[in-house]
Amino acid sequence: MSSHTPSQRYLSSRGGSYDLSFEDVVLKGLATDGGLFIPEEIPSIKDWPSDWTKLSFEELAFKIFSQYISPSEIPPADLKDIVNRSYSTFRASNVTPLVTLQEKEQIHLLELFHGPTFAFKDVALQFLGNLFEYFLVRRNKDHKDESKREHLTVVGATSGDTGSAAIYGLRGKKDVSVFIMHPKGKVSPVQEAQMTTVLDANVHNLAVDGTFDDCQDFVKQLFGDADMNSTHKLAAVNSINWARILAQITYYFHAYASLTTSPKFEQGQKVRFVVPTGNFGDILAGYFAKRMGLPIDKLVIATNENDILDRFWKSGYYEKKAVHGGDAEGGFAEDGAKAHEDGVKETLSPAMDILVSSNFERLLWFLAYQVYGKDDDSVSSKRKTAGSRVNSWLQALKADGGFSVDAAVRDAAKADFESERVSDRQTLETIRSIYNASSIPPQDSSNGTSGTHNNSKYILDPHSAIGIAAAQRSAQRAGAPQTHQIALATAHPAKFAHAVEEALKEEKDFSFGDVLPEQFVGLEKMERRVTDVKKSEGIEGLRRLIRERVPGSA
C-alpha cells in the first residue's frame, strides 16, 4: 500500500495481522488473532493550533480523519460528504458544545448527547453507519443481481446506549443488517424503547435471558465461528471497531479549541480532560489526540465502583477481582443496573458496569512498544515485541483473571493518565450539588436539546456526574487558575431518570415531567419488535436465527 502513510496502515494489537487498510479494519472489526486494530503510527499534527482552532466540528473531523484514511481509499470529496451527513443529525449546531459549570474552579462540561439517541456514542456510530454503507455501495455498484451483492451482517451487544446508537446509525442502510443483543429486562425503559421501536426491516433486536457479558460472549463466539463466517460477512459495531475510536478524537480537538479561543482562557493555562470510563474507548480517543499533538496536561480516568482501571493505575495490577453476593447489589433495575449480575457491582451508572475494559488492550500495545521495544533494532521488531507482550498479558487475564506489569509500564501509563474512583453515594451527591450550585446563562441553556436545565440549574446524568466528581478532585491537585478541567457528559439525564430522581427527590422545583425532551414523550407506547433468545440454545441457536433472517452472502 504505497499510497498509504504509516498512520493509514493498520496492525493487530496481538501481533498476528499487519499492513491492513482502513476499509479492511472497519469491515473486519476484530483481527483474526483476537486482537484489536491500531494504526502503525500515530500521526503528528504540525499545524496545530494556528490552522485548526477556528474550524467547525465537521471541518476538524475531516482534517483528523484524513490523517488515518488514505485519499486512495476515500477521496476527499466523498469523505467530506460522509462527515457532513453524519453530523447533520445532531440537534446542536456545533455538535458537541462546551458549557461552563463552575466558573471559579474552571470546570467545564463537554455535552456529547445531542445526537439522535441522546448519548455520546452517536458521534461515532452515525459516522460508522455511513462508512459501512459507503464501502458496500462501492463494492456492489456492478452487481444488480441481489444474490451476488456483498452484504454486511453487523452484530453487537449492549447494556443500553451502544444498541440504540448503532441501530439509529444503521437503520435503513443498503446491504446492511444489524443484530443487537441486550440482556432481557436489564436495560432502562428509555433505552429499550429507543431500540425496539425502530421497525426498519434491516434491524433485529434480540433480548437474551442473561447478562450483558453473556451477550458480549455471543458476539465474540460469532466472530470466531468458522461456520458462521463461511456464509456471512460479519462486522463489529462495539467500540472494538477502530472507526469508533477515530470518530471520538474529533471532540477533544473541538473542545480544546472552543475553550482556548474563549475569554475564559488565558495564555499559559493548561487543560485536562476527565472521562467517565468503562470500556476505555472514549478516553483512548483522548490519548490519540494527545499523542497527535493536542497539548492536554492529563487525561483523568473516572470509574464507578467497578474500578479495574483505577486499581491498575494505583497498583500496576489488572485484575477482575469479581464481586459476588450482597456486595454486588446496587443501583436501580429501572435504569439497567442489573445488566451485569455475574462478577460486576451494580451501580447507578450501568453503562460503566464492565468487568474488563476491552479497549485497554490498545493502550497496552503502545505502552509495550514504548517500554520493551526500545532495545529492538527495527520498527518491525518493535511491533512484534509489543504484540507478543500484549498477547501474553491477555492470555494471563483469560487464564488467571489478571496480570501485573513492570514498574516501567505503569510509570509510562501515569505519564499521560490519572485515575479516580467515584461511588454511588458520591454520584448522587454530585448530581445534587451541581443542581443547587449551577447557574447556566440563558444562551447556554439548551444547545438544541431540552431536559438538561431547570430554571438555569444543570441536571447531570449519573455517568456525567462521575466525570464532574473526578474533575473536582483533579482541580484540587491541579486547578484554577493554572489549569482548566473539561469533563465529558456522556448521556442525557432522562436516559437514567431513576438515579436522577433519587438524587433530586428533595428538590421541590424539580420534576422530570417538566424537562423531558419531546423525543421521549410517548416513546413507551409505540409499536415494538424484539425477539427473545435463550442463552441455553448457545451459538447454534443464534447462528440459526441469523440465517433465517439474513440468507448467506459471504
Side-chain angles (χ1 to χ4, degrees):
M1 295 190 296
S2 59
S3 60
H4 293 56
T5 67
S7 66
Q8 295 166 347
R9 297 192 298 265
Y10 295 84
L11 53 81
S12 167
S13 56
R14 300 189 193 181
S17 300
Y18 292 91
D19 204 31
L20 292 154
S21 69
F22 179 74
E23 182 173 352
D24 287 336
V25 302
V26 169
L27 295 180
K28 287 178 183 293
L30 192 68
T32 53
D33 62 359
L36 306 184
F37 292 118
I38 51 176
E40 290 183 359
E41 289 183 10
I42 299 177
S44 177
I45 305 301
K46 296 180 173 58
D47 52 355
W48 173 269
S50 58
D51 295 342
W52 287 40
T53 54
K54 295 181 181 179
L55 298 179
S56 68
F57 187 94
E58 292 85 351
E59 290 167 335
L60 269 174
F62 172 76
K63 283 268 196 181
I64 291 165
F65 298 169
S66 297
Q67 303 295 315
Y68 296 92
I69 305 170
S70 169
S72 67
E73 288 195 73
I74 305 180
D78 290 357
L79 183 57
K80 285 182 180 179
D81 179 64
I82 291 171
V83 167
N84 290 333
R85 285 190 289 113
S86 298
Y87 301 119
S88 67
T89 60
F90 281 65
R91 293 174 297 278
S93 59
N94 52 351
V95 185
T96 57
L98 192 67
V99 174
T100 299
L101 278 191
Q102 296 180 290
E103 190 163 359
K104 181 180 179 182
E105 293 83 1
Q106 296 178 171
I107 294 177
H108 315 276
L109 193 68
L110 180 59
E111 294 183 337
L112 302 176
F113 49 72
H114 294 282
T117 70
F118 295 75
F120 82 99
K121 295 174 182 179
D122 288 322
V123 176
L125 285 165
Q126 288 292 301
F127 176 59
L128 182 58
N130 286 320
L131 278 177
F132 281 154
E133 185 177 50
Y134 177 83
F135 290 139
L136 288 171
V137 166
R138 185 167 66 186
R139 290 181 174 206
N140 291 327
K141 66 179 181 179
D142 296 325
H143 298 301
K144 303 302 181 185
D145 184 348
E146 286 292 329
S147 65
K148 295 182 179 179
R149 295 178 69 85
E150 190 169 321
H151 190 93
L152 205 61
T153 302
V154 176
V155 293
T158 187
S159 57
D161 282 342
T162 293
S164 56
I167 286 167
Y168 275 70
L170 294 168
R171 61 187 302 181
K173 298 296 185 187
K174 183 70 173 173
D175 297 316
V176 180
S177 295
V178 55
F179 291 82
I180 297 294
M181 288 171 271
H182 69 269
K184 185 177 181 179
K186 297 168 184 175
V187 297
S188 79
V190 168
Q191 292 170 323
E192 183 177 349
Q194 283 184 318
M195 290 188 287
T196 59
T197 57
V198 176
L199 305 180
D200 295 66
N202 72 323
V203 173
H204 308 274
N205 279 288
L206 309 180
V208 179
D209 62 345
T211 68
F212 168 75
D213 291 323
D214 294 324
C215 299
Q216 188 85 298
D217 286 343
F218 270 141
V219 171
K220 292 176 181 177
Q221 288 175 44
L222 283 171
F223 274 97
D225 183 51
D227 188 356
M228 192 76 231
N229 281 276
S230 69
T231 59
H232 288 67
K233 183 177 288 294
L234 301 183
V237 75
N238 289 73
S239 58
I240 59 173
N241 195 303
W242 161 249
R244 282 191 54 179
I245 307 300
L246 173 59
Q248 292 170 171
I249 296 172
T250 303
Y251 50 69
Y252 285 90
F253 278 89
H254 188 253
Y256 191 96
S258 297
L259 176 61
T260 56
T261 56
S262 76
K264 298 170 183 175
F265 188 84
E266 296 179 4
Q267 193 70 27
Q269 291 179 325
K270 298 178 180 179
V271 179
R272 291 181 163 210
F273 281 88
V274 187
V275 187
T277 304
N279 223 13
F280 204 75
D282 206 0
I283 199 163
L284 182 70
Y287 172 77
F288 274 88
K290 192 174 191 296
R291 287 283 305 273
M292 289 172 71
L294 191 67
I296 299 171
D297 178 51
K298 288 285 185 180
L299 293 158
V300 182
I301 299 161
T303 77
N304 63 15
E305 294 175 41
N306 295 292
D307 57 355
I308 185 171
L309 291 167
D310 184 61
R311 286 185 280 110
F312 172 82
W313 256 267
K314 289 179 168 59
S315 70
Y317 288 84
Y318 190 75
E319 298 173 313
K320 295 180 182 179
K321 294 281 187 183
V323 179
H324 298 285
D327 288 341
E329 297 176 359
F332 291 96
E334 296 88 348
D335 282 348
K338 293 185 180 295
H340 312 278
E341 293 163 337
D342 297 340
V344 179
K345 183 172 175 57
E346 300 159 359
T347 75
L348 298 173
S349 46
M352 294 161 59
D353 290 350
I354 291 173
L355 190 62
V356 174
S357 302
S358 59
N359 277 293
F360 186 53
E361 178 174 339
R362 285 181 160 119
L363 177 67
L364 286 174
W365 188 92
F366 287 103
L367 296 175
Y369 184 95
Q370 176 184 339
V371 174
Y372 300 113
K374 61 185 179 182
D375 296 326
D376 291 317
D377 295 331
S378 67
V379 171
S380 62
S381 61
K382 292 176 189 287
R383 291 171 181 161
K384 290 178 181 178
T385 295
S388 176
R389 284 282 181 171
V390 170
N391 195 43
S392 65
W393 285 328
L394 271 293
Q395 290 299 323
L397 178 66
K398 182 178 181 179
D400 306 323
F403 59 87
S404 63
V405 299
D406 294 333
V409 175
R410 182 176 160 221
D411 289 344
K414 293 175 77 171
D416 293 312
F417 296 87
E418 292 181 357
S419 180
E420 293 288 349
R421 175 188 187 273
V422 179
S423 69
D424 273 355
R425 178 182 58 80
Q426 292 163 337
T427 300
L428 293 174
E429 288 175 353
T430 303
I431 295 172
R432 193 178 305 119
S433 65
I434 290 297
Y435 182 80
N436 285 307
S438 58
S439 180
I440 307 299
Q443 64 269 24
D444 295 334
S445 63
S446 86
N447 287 314
T449 300
S450 61
T452 58
H453 302 78
N454 184 32
N455 297 324
S456 78
K457 296 180 178 181
Y458 201 94
I459 307 165
L460 292 168
D461 97 284
H463 306 79
S464 307
I466 288 173
I468 289 295
Q472 291 170 337
R473 297 179 199 170
S474 174
Q476 293 175 357
R477 296 190 298 274
Q482 291 84 13
T483 308
H484 290 260
Q485 319 286 329
I486 298 178
L488 274 56
T490 56
H492 190 283
K495 300 196 78 168
F496 303 94
H498 290 81
V500 176
E501 287 177 332
E502 174 65 20
L504 301 180
K505 62 185 178 182
E506 302 299 328
E507 306 301 326
K508 295 180 180 179
D509 66 341
F510 174 77
S511 169
F512 247 121
D514 297 334
V515 298
L516 195 67
E518 61 182 30
Q519 293 88 342
F520 289 5
V521 177
L523 191 61
E524 73 283 355
K525 298 177 182 178
M526 295 174 64
E527 181 184 352
R528 303 187 184 204
R529 191 175 76 237
V530 61
T531 301
D532 289 340
V533 172
K534 293 185 179 297
K535 176 184 172 184
S536 60
E537 293 185 359
I539 187 69
E540 295 81 9
L542 193 57
R543 188 194 299 132
R544 184 170 58 251
L545 185 151
I546 292 174
R547 284 176 171 158
E548 288 173 358
R549 303 283 179 87
V550 182
S553 60

